[in-house]
Amino acid sequence: MTNITLLSDATTGRTSDTCTAQLVSEGNKMTGPRIADAATSSTSGVPEPEDIPGVMMTLMRQLVRTKQQLFQGGHEESLPIQLMFAMRKHGPQRSGELAAILHADPSTVSRQVALLVRTGLARREADPQDGRAIHVVLTAAGVQRLGKLRAAVDGLFETVVKDWTSQERAVFVELLRRYIDNFAARGDDLIATLAEVATAP
């Protein structure tokens, strides 16, 4: 089964599925149609700073559930979506360079590249600067498939925020980007803390 990471690369870039599962299992069991509603736990109706971990756990559970559903349907392999987006964004790259960009295991990326080549969505070509090196690029079919995937993802997220105002969307994007940047800057500390807790007697 080809791995598709939905959250880790968007935050620390290194958080494993196991770490995600641990976070999810320990998370607050809050549910609700909107994140803002899930965050509202104070009597005044205003989200408290302490609500942030619970809200993020809820989001992570939703992402994990979505990932699991991707593999329901009898398919042993699914398209490595993040890898395709990285190839489109960064252009021709070596497999190892793509692994570094995604903070992913090189062997995993190598298998994903092989899948894309086998299905005609990518091709290998010699590096014009170094004939001994091999670059991986999307084919025309790969670019077309990625465009369809992007349209589907954009449409999905649009339905999620369809009742949000432009101001709400702008504020959400700004704060989420700040959260991701700050989270990534402290990723090593988070992983160390989780490892310490997980191995504690």
Side-chain angles (χ1 to χ4, degrees):
M1 180 181 293
T2 303
N3 183 45
I4 299 179
T5 304
L6 297 178
L7 180 68
S8 61
D9 291 333
T11 53
T12 65
R14 286 169 289 179
T15 305
S16 66
D17 288 344
T18 301
C19 182
T20 300
Q22 290 175 339
L23 282 170
V24 171
S25 65
E26 295 297 328
N28 191 320
K29 302 301 183 181
M30 293 186 298
T31 58
R34 294 179 61 178
I35 289 178
D37 296 333
T40 305
S41 64
S42 65
T43 57
S44 65
V46 178
E48 299 288 346
E50 293 78 7
D51 294 324
I52 293 177
V55 172
M56 296 309 297
M57 299 304 174
T58 301
L59 176 60
M60 292 172 72
R61 284 198 302 275
Q62 292 173 343
L63 292 174
V64 169
R65 183 166 59 250
T66 300
K67 178 179 178 179
Q68 292 171 342
Q69 291 173 346
L70 282 173
F71 298 120
Q72 294 176 357
H75 302 291
E76 292 186 358
E77 293 180 314
S78 296
L79 291 179
I81 299 174
Q82 285 189 324
L83 175 60
M84 295 178 70
F85 275 115
M87 293 169 65
R88 180 63 169 169
K89 178 179 180 180
H90 297 280
Q93 299 286 332
R94 303 182 189 185
S95 179
E97 292 170 336
L98 289 168
I101 290 171
L102 295 173
H103 301 284
D105 180 72
S107 62
T108 297
V109 172
S110 179
R111 290 193 298 271
Q112 293 177 337
V113 167
L115 170 63
L116 293 177
V117 171
R118 187 167 67 250
T119 54
L121 300 179
R123 68 176 182 272
R124 297 184 176 93
E125 58 183 29
D127 183 345
Q129 305 298 325
D130 182 359
R132 298 170 299 177
I134 301 297
H135 279 169
V136 184
V137 297
L138 291 175
T139 61
V143 173
Q144 183 179 23
R145 177 70 67 86
L146 187 59
K148 292 180 178 180
L149 288 170
R150 181 59 184 267
V153 171
D154 288 350
L156 171 62
F157 282 107
E158 176 59 30
T159 62
V160 173
V161 299
K162 64 180 180 180
D163 59 338
W164 293 20
T165 66
S166 297
Q167 183 179 3
E168 287 176 327
R169 296 184 187 203
V171 170
F172 177 77
V173 170
E174 178 186 359
L175 293 179
L176 186 58
R177 282 176 174 167
R178 285 173 56 188
Y179 183 91
I180 290 172
D181 290 342
N182 291 341
F183 193 102
R186 294 163 176 80
D188 290 339
D189 293 338
L190 174 64
I191 293 174
T193 299
L194 288 174
E196 181 179 354
V197 173
T199 57

